[in-house]
């Protein structure tokens, strides 16, 4: 059940459905979301159990929402806590109104259009309210009064303003805009509080079993679930990093909440579908955080939707596979399978799925070969020689398909991974053929990009060969996961991200920016890989400040400068954005460098974090070569970094915390050379001390 909580404390029962909105009545006045100050929190600062606290005079109302239970028998619980901040006793009334309006607003138009909801029938009986003969709202804490009203007879809030309820206990409304409310009369001692619980069970038959004692245990049960699901890693970052560490845990939870069984999906309203694009990168984040089983389940679920010719569908929903040609999909599916193997070393699903994966590799190869014919060797077509055909996989090209390098870099990654998968599956005859195709494809893309820069008179990486546009967030794919940095002219990559940095600074320093998309978290990882951690942290700090609400550790797909602007935002929390954030944050601590088979650790750790009380701890991060354990803390005038758990073939690049240049280093007590100003290379787990 996808319940949605607004920052004002309303709760939408499920997509497109009614919401429940609380009100207080005290001293002859109805107190709404607009009265007083509103604050937000998550349980322990990171568990996905949100609370909204309204402070109105000397009364507080805190709304907390959570979910427990098994599939088909889950329950959304809501706790209303009313607190009296007076030293003397007082009484107050709490109303919970059932209203024909979604939390999702009308300017949300994709997937599930927001705005009004349908309430055709409301009926109070047997201590519960039944909505539209299907949904149950159960006042677990016995309500002292209830009432309902049809739309033509007035708005339920009009009655609440007088402190009363409509008299009817059952209404049928042909306009489908009925409303109703429950009332609790509370006697509060000085500096005391009272709790009221309601429940929204998925299965109406479960309602009689939901008692106050079960409600009291629901919160602890939810905490235990999230402690278990999010407990595979231990990341502690001090100072400005503390919020990032909390948000990382919550982001993982949001990815899991958005998923439907094995189906990874970015949202529950606008993006209630599974894209292989989102799913591949989200799976990479899940793998690094120890959720390999979830990624295996997603791979097993998605592959059967493959088309007969091997084409990977761009997305899947209840209607099945979407036939639209989005030419990044093949590469993403192959990358997903290969990344699963690289991190888990579980070959069983690769063996099982290799025939299907081989068909996808063949389809990908046929696409690139379609642009390697004589027709594309003419001067007017040479620009796109060897590229994948144009598609609309990049949302910026939805109006007209383009020769998107986003597609091509994914294709290069996928073709290379297809060769790896062939070797894992023991297909020794096909592996060398795929390896040669991958090398050829990579060379064609690099050559095309150089031609496109010349044709369009660009000094930066273009987003599409035929358009000559600039899209650095799309270009990040060339660095990760394609890891093509060694194949591209360094000055071109530098110019690309220098321009991206300049664009970011202009927006950050301006007071009139309007919108941005937090997919830009990918640029954070790019700056880390380019050896520019100061820029990475500047971006991360600004992006962190645009969480909405900040205390809920979430981003929407589109962030508007005015958080109350009536503009489309996509889903919030947005699972793909959450996964981009996770991968960027983990890059601060460790990332793989494919060109020399090394693991780079500590590249994004600032000196102030290492010298802070407690320093930096990161344990449980999965990599291609094992589970890394990393610590960085002060040791007198030095910083001591310990790395354990991994033995990459090319060694470990240990980076000194940035912010000041170390003048010497020791490895396990012995003097060591410093490379590139802050790097020490070790061949095995070690303790490295940097002296400043």
């Amino acid at each position: 059940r996808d319940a949605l909580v607004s920052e004002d404390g309303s709760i939408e029962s499920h997509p497109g459905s009614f919401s429940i909105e609380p009100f207080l009545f005290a001293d002859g006045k109805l107190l709404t979301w607009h009265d007083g100050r509103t604050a937000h929190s998550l349980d322990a600062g990171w568990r996905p159990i949100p609370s909204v606290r309204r402070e109105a005079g000397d009364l507080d109302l805190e709304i907390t929402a959570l979910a427990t239970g098994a599939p088909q028998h889950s329950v959304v619980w809501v706790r209303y806590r009313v607190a009296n901040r007076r030293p003397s006793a007082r009484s107050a009334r709490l109303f919970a109104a059932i209203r024909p309006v979604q939390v999702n607003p009308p300017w949300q138009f994709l997937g599930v259009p927001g705005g009004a909801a349908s309430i055709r029938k409301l009926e109070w009986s047997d201590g519960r309210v039944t909505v539209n003969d299907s949904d149950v709202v159960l006042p677990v804490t016995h309500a002292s009064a209830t009432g309902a009203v049809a739309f033509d007879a007035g708005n339920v809030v009009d009655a609440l303003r007088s402190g009363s309820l409509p008299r009817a206990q059952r209404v049928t409304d042909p306009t489908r805009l009925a409303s109703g409310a429950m009332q609790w009369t509370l006697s509060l001692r000085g500096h005391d509080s009272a709790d009221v619980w309601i429940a929204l069970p998925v299965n109406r038959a479960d309602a009689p079993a939901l008692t106050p004692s079960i409600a009291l245990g629901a919160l602890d049960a939810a905490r235990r679930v999230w402690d278990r699901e999010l407990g595979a890693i231990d990341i502690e970052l001090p100072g400005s990093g503390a919020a990032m560490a909390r948000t990382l845990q919550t982001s993982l939870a949001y990815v899991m909440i958005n998923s439907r069984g094995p189906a990874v999906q970015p949202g529950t309203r606008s993006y209630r579908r599974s894209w292989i694009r989102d799913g591949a990168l989200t799976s990479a984040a899940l793998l690094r955080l120890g959720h390999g089983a979830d990624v295996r389940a997603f791979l097993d679920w998605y592959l059967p939707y493959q088309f007969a010719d091997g084409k990977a569908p761009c997305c899947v929903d209840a209607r099945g596979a979407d036939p639209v040609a989005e030419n990044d999909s093949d590469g993403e599916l192959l990358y997903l399978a290969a990344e699963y193997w690289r991190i888990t070393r579980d070959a069983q699903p690769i063996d099982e799925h290799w025939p299907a994966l081989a068909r996808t590799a063949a389809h990908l190869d046929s696409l690139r070969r379609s642009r390697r014919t004589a027709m594309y060797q003419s001067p007017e077509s040479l620009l796109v020689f060897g590229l994948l055909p144009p598609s609309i996989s990049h949302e910026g090209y939805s109006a007209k398909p383009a020769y998107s390098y986003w597609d091509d870099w994914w294709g290069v990654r996928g073709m290379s991974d297809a060769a790896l998968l062939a070797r894992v599956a023991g297909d020794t005859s096909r592996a060398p053929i795929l390896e040669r195709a991958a090398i050829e494809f990579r060379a064609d893309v690099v050559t095309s990009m150089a031609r496109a820069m010349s044709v369009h008179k660009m000094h930066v990486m273009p987003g599409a060969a035929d358009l000559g546009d600039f899209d650095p967030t799309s270009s990040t794919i060339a660095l990760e996961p394609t890891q093509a940095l060694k194949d591209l002219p360094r000055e071109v990559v530098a110019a690309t991200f220098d321009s991206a940095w300049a664009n970011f600074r202009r927006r950050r320093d301006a007071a009139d920016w309007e919108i941005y998309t937090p997919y830009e978290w990918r640029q954070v990882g790019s700056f880390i890989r380019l050896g520019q951690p100061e820029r990475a942290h500047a971006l991360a700090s600004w992006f962190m400040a645009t969480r909405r609400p900040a205390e809920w550790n979430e981003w929407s797909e589109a962030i508007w400068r005015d958080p109350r602007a009536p503009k489309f935002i996509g889903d919030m929390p947005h699972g793909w954005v959450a996964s981009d954030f996770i991968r960027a944050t983990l890059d601060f601590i460790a990332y793989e460098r494919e060109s020399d088979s090394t693991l780079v650790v500590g590249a994004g750790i600032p000196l102030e974090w290492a010298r802070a009380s407690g320093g930096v701890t990161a344990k449980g991060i999965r990599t291609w070569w094992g589970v890394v354990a990393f610590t960085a803390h002060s040791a007198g005038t030095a910083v001591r970094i310990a790395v354990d758990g991994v033995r990459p073939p090319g060694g470990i690049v240990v980076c000194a915390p940035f912010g000041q240049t170390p003048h010497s280093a020791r490895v396990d007590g012995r003097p060591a050379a410093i490379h590139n100003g802050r790097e020490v290379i070790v061949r095995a787990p070690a303790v490295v001390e940097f002296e400043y």
Side-chain angles (χ1 to χ4, degrees), residues 283 286-298 340 343-344:
S283 291
L286 289 169
L287 285 164
R288 281 156 174 74
L289 296 179
H291 284 262
D294 294 323
V295 175
R296 165 71 189 273
F298 177 58
Y340 173 80
I343 290 183
T344 68

Side-chain angles (χ1 to χ4, degrees), residues 40-77:
H40 306 91
S41 63
L42 293 178
D43 192 68
W46 59 268
R47 294 188 190 99
I49 302 173
S51 290
V52 178
R53 189 177 72 254
R54 301 182 188 172
E55 299 176 359
D58 49 21
L59 270 181
D60 289 350
L61 170 60
E62 183 182 66
I63 305 104
T64 299
L66 57 134
T68 59
Q72 308 306 319
H73 295 279
S74 62
V75 179
V76 173
W77 301 90

Side-chain angles (χ1 to χ4, degrees), residues 207-356:
L210 303 180
T211 65
S213 61
I214 293 176
L216 290 172
L219 180 56
D220 286 339
R223 286 169 172 157
R224 288 193 299 272
V225 166
W226 290 117
D227 288 350
R228 181 184 71 243
E229 294 291 347
L230 308 182
I233 60 166
D234 176 17
I235 296 180
E236 297 179 18
L237 306 176
S240 61
M244 295 182 70
R246 292 193 301 270
T247 302
L248 187 144
Q249 290 180 288
T250 312
S251 295
L252 171 58
Y254 289 151
V255 167
M256 299 174 71
I257 289 170
N258 283 350
S259 297
R260 281 294 152 273
V264 174
Q265 59 185 39
T268 62
R269 300 298 192 277
S270 295
Y271 297 104
R272 195 181 175 88
R273 312 173 78 186
S274 288
W275 279 263
I276 191 60
R277 179 166 50 249
D278 308 40
L281 286 174
T282 300
S283 291
L286 289 169
L287 285 164
R288 281 156 174 74
L289 296 179
H291 284 262
D294 294 323
V295 175
R296 165 71 189 273
F298 177 58
L299 179 64
D300 290 346
W301 174 80
Y302 204 92
L303 259 175
Y305 289 100
Q306 178 192 54
F307 292 98
D309 62 356
K311 170 185 169 184
C314 62
C315 63
V316 175
D317 60 18
R319 298 168 296 179
D322 193 318
V324 172
E326 297 190 2
N327 291 331
D328 56 343
S329 300
D330 289 346
E332 288 152 355
L333 178 60
L334 293 164
Y335 164 76
L336 166 63
E339 192 72 353
Y340 173 80
W341 180 83
R342 278 189 287 260
I343 290 183
T344 68
R345 299 295 160 144
D346 175 14
Q348 193 275 329
I350 309 306
D351 292 338
E352 176 185 341
H353 295 308
W354 174 238

Side-chain angles (χ1 to χ4, degrees), residues 327-328 330-331 334 360-374 376-377 381 384-390 403 407-416 418 432-445 448:
N327 291 331
D328 56 343
D330 289 346
L334 293 164
T360 296
H363 183 263
L364 174 61
D365 196 39
S366 71
L367 290 179
R368 75 171 190 95
R369 287 180 179 276
S370 72
R371 295 305 188 268
R372 297 196 95 250
T373 63
Y376 292 94
Q377 292 179 340
S381 300
V384 299
F385 179 83
L387 299 187
L388 297 176
Y403 280 96
D407 290 355
D408 294 307
W409 289 123
W410 272 116
V412 169
R413 176 78 262 179
M415 191 63 71
S416 176
I433 298 172
L434 292 169
E435 286 168 354
R436 288 192 294 271
I439 292 170
E440 185 177 74
F441 194 3
R442 187 178 294 257
D444 285 347
V445 174
S448 170

Side-chain angles (χ1 to χ4, degrees), residues 445-531:
V445 174
V446 171
T447 300
S448 170
M449 185 165 283
R451 288 190 179 118
M453 292 176 63
S454 176
V455 168
H456 298 294
K457 297 179 172 54
M458 302 176 70
H459 69 289
V460 297
M461 298 167 65
D466 50 337
L467 300 180
D469 54 330
F470 179 57
D471 185 356
T473 302
S474 172
S475 296
T476 61
I477 298 301
L479 277 63
E480 172 61 23
T482 305
Q483 301 223 10
L485 187 58
K486 65 179 176 56
D487 304 303
L488 295 166
R490 189 72 182 210
E491 65 274 12
V492 171
V493 178
T496 299
F497 288 96
D498 283 348
S499 296
W501 169 249
N503 289 346
F504 165 74
R505 289 185 61 189
R506 281 192 290 271
R507 182 180 63 215
R508 180 193 64 184
D509 299 340
D512 59 349
W513 69 274
E514 185 179 18
I515 184 177
Y516 91 99
T517 58
Y519 296 130
E520 289 183 28
W521 270 107
R522 294 174 210 148
Q523 294 185 31
V524 172
S526 295
F527 283 121
I528 292 293
R529 285 171 168 76
L530 292 172

